[in-house]
Amino acid sequence: MPTESGSCSAARQAKQKRKSHSLSIRRTNSSEQERPGLPREMLEGQDSKLPSSVRSTLLELFGQIEREFENLYIENLELRREIETLNERLAAEGQAVDGAELSKGQLKTKASHSTSQLSQKLKTTYKASTSKIVSSFKTTTSRAVCQLVKEYIGHRDGIWDVSVARTQPVVLGTASADHTALLWSIETGRCLVKYTGHVGSASGDQTAHIWRYAVQLPTPQPVADSSQIGGEDEVECSDKDEPDADGDASSDCPTIRAPLTSLKSHQGVVMAADWLVGGKQAVTASWDRTANLYEVETAELVHSLTGHDQELTHCCTHPTQRLVVTSSRDTTFRLWDFRDPSIHSVNVFQGHTDTVTSAVFTVGDNVVSGSDDRTVKVWDLKNMRSPIATIRTDSAINRINVCVGQKIIALPHDNRQVRLFDMSGVRLARLPRSSRQGHRRMVCCSAWSEDHPVCNLFTCGFDRQAIGWNINIPALLQEK
């Protein structure tokens, strides 16, 4: 019988050791760190009655719990340093005030105030960290309440934005870096019309276009059960797994080549546009650091909203009031009030440490903002000095969208994930992503369709496709 050489045997043992160590749970105690990782066979258990897919899911969840505790440990170290800094500041302030020593009562008052602040901060940190750890167990159950229903494939470059019509007929719209905008049948995934009027990435030609087309929806087809698509485990996907651009679903649909109206006052890329309540005016946001308000019928520039220090990233209008919110790379977002025709007020809100990628209105008096600083903040318009809730994530956040009726926030990420949270910051679910479903590159935008029976959440990304998801909201809220 042939024998293995010493070098081959050593290499195989080293490989097995690395494999087993990667599946073991690391210990924070230094004495535990010295212990070798348990073999995979012992972790999975030879006599286990659990299916291999369930055991793999458990190992994945334990790995997530480990990472959550590591993040909590790091946050606690930072908090401890802040406590030491505050204690030093308190001691320095207690030495003298105008040359006289503070009385014991004054020192006690200051200490009580600082302790109260620290206590509140500790509670907030603990609550957020606990929420993140508990939410790790929702990976499996979220697959049952969030199912991929339809893929909309036809663009030849990344999709920047996705939107759903607010009136009948309800169709899906996408804007892409391939210079086109498409309208889709939500039920069939068929492209209904292609718009090719832009000469740059929509809308990299510094204009916003208004165009019209009479849509005739095709007969809906039975929807396939997507619960059988893909496996349980997530995998990394390469560029070769992207949809094939040769199968262009938009090649045989009607084409519009010129707009009814072109809005041309910007000097930079137009990043977003929205209709003001009533539909007679529209607002646009641009990299030229301004937002413009136009009369739709005449294309006349009514107001140029200036004040941001850097490029704008998004704009959003209130569904029932003449309010506009704009976000910018200058780490702020601004609220513009046009309710009084004679007075146009503006308020500047700070709270992020990096680019504010979007800010949107919700039901009532709330605004939700997302940022490249990996946080989402919920604000009360009546008191904008500090957020009423903060969501901390592990990746930069792109254009968020809120399901107004159910108060659920959809968070598209740079790391290809899409997560759902409620307005208080509790994580509800993560959209499933595997080798055969979900986005394969950065997810740029999301849009809710609250009353649509087939799909009620849509996402788009740099993988050139939009995806329609069915969200079982009652089950989602029941899990909460």
Side-chain angles (χ1 to χ4, degrees), residues 10 17 45 70 92 106 109 131 147 162 185 200 244 251 259 276 289 323 357 438:
K17 185 176 181 180
E70 287 177 347
Q106 290 173 311
T109 301
S131 175
Q147 292 190 359
V162 62
S185 166
D244 187 3
S251 58
L276 212 60
R289 306 185 182 185
L323 298 172
T357 52

Side-chain angles (χ1 to χ4, degrees), residues 215-384:
V215 172
Q216 183 176 0
L217 296 179
T219 303
Q221 300 295 325
V223 178
D225 183 6
S226 62
S227 61
Q228 304 300 322
I229 300 176
E232 291 284 337
D233 301 324
E234 293 183 3
V235 300
E236 297 297 324
C237 302
S238 62
D239 292 347
K240 65 181 180 182
D241 295 321
E242 295 178 4
D244 187 3
D246 293 336
D248 190 351
S250 64
S251 58
D252 58 349
C253 66
T255 300
I256 301 176
R257 293 181 171 81
L260 291 176
T261 305
S262 182
L263 310 178
K264 298 181 177 179
S265 298
H266 283 296
Q267 304 300 316
V269 172
V270 177
M271 287 298 295
D274 203 357
W275 299 94
L276 212 60
V277 59
K280 295 183 178 180
Q281 293 181 323
V283 63
T284 57
S286 171
W287 281 0
D288 64 7
R289 306 185 182 185
T290 68
N292 288 342
L293 182 64
Y294 297 91
E295 287 288 348
V296 172
E297 186 175 348
T298 63
E300 176 187 358
L301 176 62
V302 180
H303 295 290
S304 183
L305 313 181
T306 61
H308 281 292
D309 295 330
Q310 294 189 40
E311 295 90 338
L312 271 64
T313 57
H314 192 237
C315 65
C316 179
T317 60
H318 195 281
T320 60
Q321 302 184 62
R322 291 176 57 82
L323 298 172
V324 177
V325 63
T326 57
S327 54
S328 170
R329 291 183 61 188
D330 63 10
T331 74
T332 72
F333 63 96
R334 295 181 176 231
L335 176 67
W336 311 82
D337 190 344
F338 297 99
R339 289 175 292 185
D340 188 340
S342 60
I343 303 175
H344 304 128
S345 62
V346 57
N347 293 293
V348 182
F349 302 111
Q350 299 177 338
H352 290 285
T353 59
D354 206 336
T355 297
V356 181
T357 52
S358 61
V360 298
F361 291 101
T362 69
V363 65
D365 295 321
N366 290 335
V367 170
V368 183
S369 59
S371 171
D372 280 346
D373 65 7
R374 303 183 180 185
T375 67
V376 170
K377 298 178 184 288
V378 182
W379 307 81
D380 185 348
L381 288 176
K382 297 177 181 178
N383 181 13
M384 298 288 287

Side-chain angles (χ1 to χ4, degrees), residues 4-21:
E4 293 182 331
S5 65
S7 59
C8 292
S9 176
R12 175 172 294 183
Q13 291 177 359
K15 183 177 181 180
Q16 291 177 346
K17 185 176 181 180
R18 288 196 302 270
K19 186 176 181 181
S20 64
H21 183 69

Side-chain angles (χ1 to χ4, degrees), residues 459-479:
T459 57
C460 68
F462 278 2
D463 57 0
R464 299 176 286 179
Q465 67 173 335
I467 297 178
W469 305 85
N470 179 264
I471 311 298
N472 188 336
I473 293 180
L476 191 68
L477 298 179
Q478 185 176 4
E479 286 186 6

